[in-house]
Amino acid sequence: MKKILSIITLFICLLNPVFADDGNKNYFYNFFNNDSKEIRSLLKAQVKYANRTNFKKFISTYDESYLNADGLDLEKYSNLVKDVWNSYHNIEYRLEIKNIAINDDKAIVEVVETSNAVIPAEAKMEGTLNSISNSIYYLKKVDGKWKVYSDKVKTENTSMLYGDARFLDISLTAPNEIEANTEYTASLEFVPPEGVIAIASIANDKVEYPQKQAKEVFRKLPEDNILERLFVSNSDNMNEYVVASIGLTKADITDLSIKLSLTGFGYQITRVNVIPVKEDRDAENNVK
């Protein structure tokens, strides 16, 4: 199930559902239609395979032509899944289907996905991983069976927090969407525990695989507990992650000597989808 990574303009094929006019009939047609039931079964199977880390069966639910909105084909996405499962063995995935629209042999499914885990840390601090995303799946019928051939993440927020950072109420805000090569502001806010020195950084980077390490410049958290940074979205029409890194330290003073000890650290991550500028969209349409 994804996501710790997951428009490029691949999905201009928005499908219109062919349902009856009456609202109640729409609902019952959608719920009891065989294709709808098969799609629900497929996505439930994905969750089951992911929770069991059954890679072979999980990937079998995707079509060979798979290419998602971040530009990952099936090979890159498969490697991403393997990396995540090798790093975190006990992630619990859940998926809620919000809507299904079917048009002949294609379908669009809106979902809310969550993942949670207790994670190890080199610093021997207990950590937690929590992620939530709103996504759209694109499916098609292949030899009588539904397969996922693309998807895009509309919103995504992930936290990996260790030690005392697990108990912080952290707010990381950035626009969900922004045009390419456009300024935007990201803001981090949290109240550190009393007697603790908090440092933090905010960086941004493109959504890609392998993921590159964002450049971090740590600063002491200001007195108003708000750290802000101004970014310019990339001109490559690639989606971005805004990554906030947090460190908590406590000072122990003994015999005029000061010893700093790390009490918590973590990362808060949010997605910013980059919209191609109008000129780029026009050029793509002319090519087509």
Side-chain angles (χ1 to χ4, degrees), residues 57-68:
K57 287 190 174 181
F58 176 76
I59 288 299
S60 71
T61 64
Y62 291 85
D63 186 66
E64 292 182 356
S65 66
Y66 174 81
L67 184 65
N68 72 14

Side-chain angles (χ1 to χ4, degrees), residues 21 49 106 141 173 207 225 234 275-276:
D21 292 330
Y49 299 148
K106 288 191 176 181
K141 242 182 182 179
T173 58
V207 180
N225 299 317
N234 70 86
I275 305 170

Side-chain angles (χ1 to χ4, degrees), residues 66-126:
Y66 174 81
L67 184 65
N68 72 14
D70 294 322
L72 300 185
D73 59 17
L74 188 60
E75 180 181 3
K76 288 184 178 179
Y77 180 64
S78 297
N79 291 333
L80 171 62
V81 172
K82 289 178 182 178
D83 285 350
V84 172
W85 289 356
N86 286 336
S87 300
Y88 308 105
H89 306 288
N90 62 339
I91 301 178
E92 181 182 354
Y93 297 95
R94 290 181 295 276
L95 179 145
E96 178 186 359
I97 296 174
K98 306 298 290 186
N99 187 50
I100 299 177
I102 303 170
N103 188 352
D104 296 329
D105 61 349
K106 288 191 176 181
I108 294 176
V109 186
E110 297 181 34
V111 303
V112 176
E113 297 174 276
T114 59
S115 54
N116 309 94
V118 174
I119 50 180
E122 295 178 0
K124 297 182 180 180
M125 292 182 185
E126 184 175 351

